[in-house]
Amino acid sequence: MDKFTKLTGVAAPLPIVNIDTDMIIPKDYLKTIKRTGLRAGLFAEMRLNEDGTENPDFVLNKPAYRNAQILVAGDNFGCGSSREHAPWALLDFGIRCVISTSFADIFYNNCFKNGILPITVSPEDLDKLMDDASRGANATLTVDLEEQEIRGPDGGTVKFSIDEFRRHCLLNGLDDIGLTMEKAPSIDVFEKQLAESRPWA
């Protein structure tokens, strides 16, 4: 998993509440267990017209936001079914950070396991960041996980809180497998001791 330390990039405004996982990636795109190739399905029902052409009114299709790495979204982001394809699709599209006032628990946890930083802020701070994001490609945000702050294009700063263990994992690029591998020496010692004390096992 790629480390997340500091990200400076375009933030796309998505002021919609209750964006569920089916909106993030519709069920038609869930036929794979690979984490790649899912960008085509991201927000497909909003991003694409019925004939498959791009909807020019959807924010990620606008020239200023095509390379957005940050989403500033409405309340209760990621609600609905617990599909891990949702963070996979976001990451495959290039989104590394989602900012909202609240997240559904399962989606929130899945983000950390896939290298995406979900940040919870107050409604007042979200309004500020949404305004920053609405300015287009020239108004980038900097998300600094080490300092736990978001810096706006005009120098304003928004502080955020995050669980220290999850922060450690993102800063060091550790998913569940990476965390297990950190314990590899202890696991080797345990297995050796087990083999010596219980050779029949």
Side-chain angles (χ1 to χ4, degrees):
M1 189 171 78
D2 290 339
K3 295 180 180 180
F4 190 116
T5 53
K6 186 187 296 183
L7 171 66
T8 298
V10 173
L14 200 60
I16 304 171
V17 299
N18 301 321
I19 293 178
D20 63 30
T21 52
D22 190 53
M23 294 168 68
I24 297 171
I25 183 161
K27 61 183 181 300
D28 299 347
Y29 296 88
L30 305 184
K31 299 171 184 175
T32 180
I33 56 172
K34 295 181 180 178
R35 300 186 186 197
T36 56
L38 292 169
R39 63 176 288 129
L42 183 69
F43 298 118
E45 293 180 354
M46 293 187 287
R47 195 168 56 83
L48 304 175
N49 297 314
E50 289 186 9
D51 63 359
T53 59
E54 290 186 351
N55 171 10
D57 295 326
F58 186 68
V59 63
L60 294 178
N61 290 335
K62 296 181 179 180
Y65 299 108
R66 283 190 175 275
N67 297 314
Q69 294 177 281
I70 303 165
L71 276 184
V72 182
D75 191 54
N76 197 28
F77 191 90
C79 57
S81 61
S82 57
R83 58 186 67 170
E84 197 168 9
H85 292 72
W88 291 354
L90 287 165
L91 191 62
D92 198 44
F93 199 86
I95 305 296
R96 291 296 312 276
C97 177
V98 182
I99 304 169
S100 180
T101 49
S102 69
F103 295 89
D105 287 344
I106 295 175
F107 174 83
Y108 186 79
N109 292 330
N110 282 338
C111 280
F112 287 103
K113 293 180 179 181
N114 289 283
I116 296 174
L117 174 60
I119 299 176
T120 304
V121 297
S122 69
E124 294 76 20
D125 284 336
L126 187 74
D127 287 342
K128 296 175 190 173
L129 296 169
M130 195 73 75
D131 180 65
D132 286 337
S134 297
R135 301 183 196 182
N138 293 325
T140 59
L141 297 180
T142 295
V143 178
D144 190 331
L145 182 55
E146 292 179 317
E147 298 296 327
Q148 293 181 220
E149 66 181 23
I150 305 164
R151 293 187 285 277
D154 297 330
T157 300
V158 171
K159 288 284 189 179
F160 63 90
S161 299
I162 185 171
D163 175 80
E164 185 55 38
F165 174 72
R166 287 171 166 158
R167 177 175 175 272
H168 167 79
C169 289
L170 278 180
L171 286 173
N172 293 281
L174 297 172
D175 57 11
D176 289 346
I177 295 173
L179 285 167
T180 301
M181 294 308 296
E182 277 196 324
K183 305 295 183 183
S186 298
I187 293 171
D188 291 342
V189 170
F190 172 79
E191 289 181 341
K192 183 178 180 181
Q193 291 174 342
L194 186 65
E196 291 172 350
S197 62
R198 301 173 62 189
W200 63 89

